[in-house]
Amino acid sequence: MNKTFFRTVLGDRPADEMGFTYSHEHIIIEDSYVTAGYPEFLLNDIEKVAEELLGFYKAGGRTVVDTMPANCGRNVLKLAEVSQKSKVHIIAPTGIHLEQYYPENHWRYTYTEAQLTDLFIQDVQFGIDKFDYGGPIVQRTTHKAGLIKLATGDEPISKHQEKIFRAVVNTHLETGVPILTHTNFGRQALEQALLFEKLGARLNHVVLSHVDRAKEVDYNRAVLDVGVKVEYDSAFRWPADSPNWTLRLLEALLPDYPDQITLGMDMAKNKYWKSYGGGPGLNYLMDTIPAFLNKKGLGHHLDAIFIQNPRELYTFALPNS
């Protein structure tokens, strides 16, 4: 395989096949500990999910990045099936999400850095477990992880989270897998970026999500100045009577950081899906962002946001890449 490839649930593909990409989505969230606490996150109906993705494909979309990592609602078999039905490339994650999505006695707390690293590498190189590490039996599928995720919350980065960071960067450096993170409303985004820099991650293959929720232009500049990419996904979330900070940040920052900004919808709640009877639906960004950027004289950045930047980010960061 050419070194410029991205890894989908259906196999590795050349980078130039990635096409129009949404950089942070939730495609399948299986009945799990997560949905027991957050039933609005249940997204496990293959036909409904495939219907929405097919609409995305027909509108020109080609790739989506799923962001539900190990043992918190991930179902790689369903991801593979909806990819086959819709023709949309799906990048599946390994890694660990926020603590609130796992029981207090979860193995994430007791596994060592080396054990976590090995588990993540297995997902990337050999295939994701059919049972998503939900029991004593591990049965690896042919469907491999194409990114690795970690998350921090409202408080400063903890010692436990630092262990996750090290395991994630270990995996990234060993396999070339790109890194995506969760930030809570952009909190700890700068600290995340600086820690990745300290640990030696290839920063052009690291993206921090939800940083538009931090609102402040200067804070976003500080994060971008470290060299990571950011992902904005709240364009449809801002109340009608408040500023749309996602659009404001795009207008302010695209001229100076055209190669570091990506967009997604982050539709983790089923009420956002048209196929589930809600809205605005997956095609919202395709329907609204081009008109906004053209109005602001920034339309020439569309390919960067949706094609070029995701392509650089989500291809594997092999040596000298």
Side-chain angles (χ1 to χ4, degrees):
M1 176 65 67
N2 187 292
K3 73 174 183 177
T4 55
F5 70 92
F6 67 110
R7 180 158 291 164
T8 81
V9 290
L10 300 181
D12 294 354
R13 306 304 308 167
D16 58 7
E17 290 186 14
M18 190 179 297
F20 192 101
T21 301
Y22 276 12
S23 288
H24 186 123
E25 302 309 322
H26 291 278
I27 303 303
I28 293 291
I29 305 179
E30 189 54 90
D31 188 13
S32 58
Y33 179 84
V34 171
T35 59
Y38 306 88
E40 68 274 21
F41 288 173
L42 187 65
L43 286 167
N44 67 344
D45 187 310
I46 289 173
E47 296 305 321
K48 289 179 179 178
V49 171
E51 175 188 340
E52 191 100 10
L53 285 176
L54 185 58
F56 175 76
Y57 183 86
K58 288 179 178 178
R62 289 296 176 267
T63 302
V64 294
V65 178
D66 185 79
T67 57
M68 219 60 183
N71 201 224
C72 62
R74 182 177 61 169
N75 185 323
V76 74
L77 295 178
K78 287 189 175 181
L79 287 174
E81 187 169 351
V82 298
S83 180
Q84 289 170 329
K85 286 178 175 290
S86 66
K87 302 180 183 178
V88 173
H89 298 306
I90 299 176
I91 300 175
T94 186
I96 294 289
H97 211 323
L98 278 176
E99 287 87 340
Q100 70 195 58
Y101 299 132
Y102 300 87
E104 292 181 359
N105 63 346
H106 194 265
W107 47 257
R108 63 175 290 166
Y109 297 107
T110 55
Y111 283 13
T112 64
E113 174 187 337
Q115 288 171 325
L116 288 170
T117 299
D118 182 65
L119 182 147
F120 299 153
I121 289 175
Q122 294 287 320
D123 275 2
V124 174
Q125 293 189 332
F126 299 103
I128 294 171
D129 175 30
K130 174 181 178 180
F131 308 109
D132 196 25
Y133 304 122
I137 296 173
V138 173
Q139 184 177 325
R140 298 207 174 272
T141 68
T142 59
H143 311 298
K144 300 175 184 179
L147 77 148
I148 186 166
K149 180 175 181 177
L150 62 76
T152 59
D154 296 333
E155 303 302 320
I157 296 172
S158 68
K159 291 294 184 183
H160 168 66
Q161 290 167 351
E162 287 182 6
K163 178 181 72 173
I164 304 295
F165 268 85
R166 292 193 299 271
V168 163
V169 173
N170 292 344
T171 305
H172 161 75
L173 294 176
E174 175 71 21
T175 67
V177 69
I179 297 171
L180 175 144
T181 80
H182 166 96
T183 68
N184 262 10
F185 296 91
R187 299 183 185 103
Q188 315 308 324
L190 183 57
E191 289 80 1
Q192 283 190 10
L194 292 172
L195 184 51
F196 281 124
E197 182 180 47
K198 178 182 177 182
L199 293 173
R202 300 180 179 99
L203 299 182
N204 58 324
H205 294 275
V206 177
V207 63
L208 279 53
S209 301
H210 322 314
V211 191
D212 49 333
R213 299 294 287 187
K215 301 179 183 178
E216 296 89 350
V217 172
D218 286 346
Y219 183 77
N220 275 258
R221 283 187 183 277
V223 174
L224 289 161
D225 283 341
V226 179
V228 297
K229 289 180 172 59
V230 296
E231 185 272 334
Y232 296 160
D233 47 44
S234 294
F236 74 96
R237 289 179 167 85
W238 302 104
D241 59 351
S242 74
N244 189 312
W245 284 100
T246 306
L247 300 183
R248 287 193 175 190
L249 288 165
L250 288 175
E251 184 178 2
L253 297 173
L254 266 176
D256 295 329
Y257 304 93
D259 302 327
Q260 292 175 253
I261 299 174
T262 65
L263 294 180
M265 289 290 289
D266 185 30
M267 296 198 323
K269 297 180 180 179
N270 49 49
K271 71 177 184 180
Y272 295 144
W273 289 64
K274 286 188 175 181
S275 60
Y276 274 83
L282 194 60
N283 287 6
Y284 173 86
L285 292 176
M286 307 172 81
D287 295 338
T288 60
I289 295 299
F292 170 76
L293 292 183
N294 285 329
K295 179 181 177 182
K296 299 296 182 179
L298 299 170
H300 56 290
H301 292 302
L302 272 170
D303 279 359
I305 292 173
F306 289 114
I307 299 176
Q308 296 162 14
N309 297 348
R311 184 171 61 210
E312 180 189 40
L313 169 62
Y314 290 118
T315 52
F316 269 50
L318 298 177
N320 301 317
S321 68

